[in-house]
Amino acid sequence: MSVLLFGVSHRSAPVSVLEQLSTGESDQAKIVDQLLQSELVSEAMILSTCNRVEVYAVVEAFHGGLSVVGQVLSEHAAMSLSDLTKYAYVRYAEAAVEHLFAVASGLDSAVIGEQQVLGQVRRSYAAAEANQAVGRTLHELSQRALSVGKRVHSETGIDAAGASVVSVALDMADGKLGGLAGRTATIVGAGSMGALAAAHLMRAGIGRVHIVNRSLPRAQRLAQNLTEQGVEAFAVSLDDLSDALTDTDVVVSCTGAVRPVVSLADAHRGLVGRPENCQLVICDLGMPRDVDPAVAGLPGIYMVDMDRIQREPSARAAAADAEAARVIVATEVANYLAGQRMAEVTPTVTALRQRAADVVEAELLRLDNRLPGLDSTHRDEVARTVRRVVDKLLHAPTVRVKQLAGAPGGDSYAEALRELFELDPQAVDAVAGSETPFIPGDPIPAPRTDLDRTD
């Protein structure tokens, strides 16, 4: 069983294709359920952000798994599989691990180094776990990816070099308007992105903020939070959005809605009575788009969208910090894969020791039959001697095979061990299957270092 990644991101596809693939929580649950209906897929997780849609699946075989995942996604996006694959990238086994670690570290984001993606990976794992789509493989992979992402952000300067999408968008708005201090902003969406936008605007000295949300109580909570921190803020229902736009300088929209929430009519209304030299800056951070694409063509509108953000020089992390992050990711990938290979050889080592123990017991039973008069003291001493001899003979090869298994291609040594000692593959599988069952949500057991660890 190996991990297959099938993805489409800002690096491989235009925003229009990402919009077609964009998934909400209910969509993700349906897609995961469809994937798990196939005998070729045993675990599945979807990472869907404003910049990417990626499926991580544990599959029996590469080609079969790829066919299943591609077909399900193409149906969801209402695209032919051939059209979808023009924009897709595929990673398998080690390459899939490396990609997820890089994503969690912010190295594959539109804004290199952004921390938001770390939370998005965490939420994707939680959603898959809630859908009972996570087993040991994706659990261990996801938790290690989160750990790697935290390490990158704590040990490098990538945070300072790579800001969030929100901060880059608002920096662009600040430059266009000649400063945000004392101005009026409208935030459409009161979720995590909206709260992040509010925090950035507050630090920029914004004078007044309208919080627009479909759920008014949620908008009121965010408005109340801003008011308590000294910013004049008002909660506005989505039906009154156009009224709010008549009294605003910058709009940040990040709702996650499936269709635009800021219409051409809303934008027209926002421009009414505005001086010719007074532009309305709209930051569309939604995926799919929150703002009708036609709005960008209106005179007096300056549109900041994901395409423009990706071209912004400030979205790129400093080369030295990015390289330091890549070194950490490479090291963590190597350590993770070595650990996985060592874990895979453990059932073979355990089966070999069990085979040896069975042989010893059989020979002691034969001794009892041949020498029925042997007193228990001598019999026990012979048994201890035989077991010591077997243990000493097995010690070096079993320790060495675990060491060798940690290197690339190490699985061949386990295969050699099975051939040399004529181990029954079913016996090895039985040992692997007798391990403590994995329960999603449980912490990963700490690795044991003794010779016969079976974790």
Side-chain angles (χ1 to χ4, degrees):
M1 301 291 283
S2 296
V3 177
L4 170 72
L5 158 65
F6 187 104
V8 177
S9 77
H10 63 284
R11 297 185 185 277
S12 66
V15 172
S16 59
V17 173
L18 285 172
E19 286 180 315
Q20 284 184 262
L21 278 167
S22 181
T23 62
E25 289 184 8
S26 60
D27 292 325
Q28 291 178 24
K30 292 176 183 177
I31 292 172
V32 165
D33 183 60
Q34 282 183 272
L35 292 172
L36 294 181
Q37 287 178 16
S38 170
E39 295 181 353
L40 297 174
V41 179
S42 60
E43 303 176 40
M45 179 179 80
I46 299 176
L47 176 59
S48 180
T49 75
C50 57
N51 293 317
R52 72 185 66 251
V53 176
E54 295 179 343
V55 173
Y56 292 85
V58 178
V59 298
E60 286 284 352
F62 172 75
H63 292 291
L66 179 60
S67 177
V68 171
V69 175
Q71 189 61 46
V72 170
L73 277 186
S74 64
E75 290 175 3
H76 163 74
M79 299 173 65
S80 69
L81 184 56
S82 59
D83 286 341
L84 176 59
T85 52
K86 294 176 185 176
Y87 304 103
Y89 47 88
V90 176
R91 306 286 186 272
Y92 187 61
E94 297 182 6
V97 173
E98 182 178 15
H99 183 84
L100 181 57
F101 285 11
V103 167
S105 301
L107 286 170
D108 197 59
S109 299
V111 181
I112 299 296
E114 68 165 330
Q115 287 197 34
Q116 277 182 283
V117 71
L118 198 57
Q120 291 162 339
V121 172
R122 184 178 294 106
R123 287 191 293 274
S124 295
Y125 168 77
E129 182 185 9
N131 292 328
Q132 298 183 324
V134 171
R136 182 179 292 276
T137 300
L138 285 186
H139 173 75
E140 293 182 355
L141 177 61
S142 299
Q143 296 305 312
R144 181 63 71 87
L146 292 170
S147 175
V148 172
K150 291 177 184 177
R151 183 185 169 195
V152 165
H153 286 292
S154 65
E155 295 183 17
T156 73
I158 201 170
D159 285 348
S164 70
V165 169
V166 172
S167 66
V168 172
L170 289 177
D171 283 346
M172 295 171 72
D174 183 276
K176 192 66 179 178
L177 295 172
L180 295 175
R183 294 187 178 274
T184 300
T186 294
I187 300 175
V188 185
S192 58
M193 288 276 282
L196 185 60
H200 279 288
L201 287 167
M202 185 174 62
R203 286 195 292 269
I206 201 74
R208 181 167 48 181
V209 180
H210 301 294
I211 307 295
V212 181
N213 198 62
R214 195 176 303 277
S215 168
L216 193 57
R218 194 167 187 177
Q220 290 170 336
R221 287 194 295 271
L222 182 53
Q224 178 64 28
N225 181 266
L226 286 172
T227 300
E228 291 173 354
Q229 297 182 69
V231 178
E232 189 178 6
F234 306 92
V236 180
S237 71
L238 194 58
D239 293 336
D240 297 323
L241 170 62
S242 59
D243 293 333
L245 294 185
T246 62
D247 179 31
T248 196
D249 300 297
V250 58
V251 179
V252 180
S253 189
C254 42
T255 67
V258 296
R259 56 181 60 86
V261 294
V262 181
S263 67
L264 190 60
D266 292 329
H268 269 299
R269 179 76 183 275
L271 293 172
V272 173
R274 191 180 296 267
E276 288 187 9
N277 62 344
C278 183
Q279 285 193 314
L280 172 61
V281 178
I282 300 180
C283 303
D284 184 1
L285 308 182
M287 182 57 64
R289 289 184 179 94
D290 275 348
V291 182
D292 187 327
V295 170
L298 293 176
I301 296 287
Y302 181 75
M303 181 69 70
V304 177
D305 58 14
M306 294 306 300
D307 285 335
R308 177 164 272 166
I309 288 172
Q310 290 166 23
R311 297 192 298 268
E312 180 65 17
S314 61
R316 303 184 182 95
D321 292 313
E323 182 58 30
R326 291 188 184 95
V327 169
I328 291 176
V329 168
T331 301
E332 291 284 357
V333 168
N335 291 341
Y336 175 82
L337 294 175
Q340 292 296 303
R341 287 189 290 265
M342 289 180 67
E344 288 173 3
V345 79
T346 296
T348 298
V349 171
T350 304
L352 174 58
R353 287 192 169 277
Q354 183 60 54
R355 170 75 181 280
D358 291 343
V359 170
V360 168
E361 292 306 315
E363 290 303 317
L364 290 177
L365 180 60
R366 179 184 295 184
L367 180 66
D368 290 339
N369 291 332
R370 289 185 174 182
L371 299 175
L374 188 65
D375 65 81
S376 60
T377 300
H378 289 97
R379 199 266 185 197
D380 291 344
E381 184 58 38
V382 170
R384 283 194 292 270
T385 299
V386 172
R387 291 192 179 103
R388 280 198 302 269
V389 169
V390 171
D391 285 342
K392 288 181 179 181
L393 286 174
L394 290 182
H395 178 75
T398 53
V399 169
R400 187 60 178 148
V401 78
K402 286 193 173 187
Q403 293 172 342
L404 293 170
D411 54 347
S412 62
Y413 293 100
E415 178 63 29
L417 205 63
R418 289 191 291 271
E419 287 293 328
L420 289 172
F421 288 91
E422 297 182 336
L423 296 179
D424 184 353
Q426 292 183 351
V428 176
D429 292 340
V431 171
S434 67
E435 297 175 1
T436 302
F438 167 71
I439 301 175
D442 282 356
I444 302 173
R448 291 167 51 192
T449 57
D450 57 282
L451 183 62
D452 289 322
R453 70 183 183 89
T454 57
D455 53 310

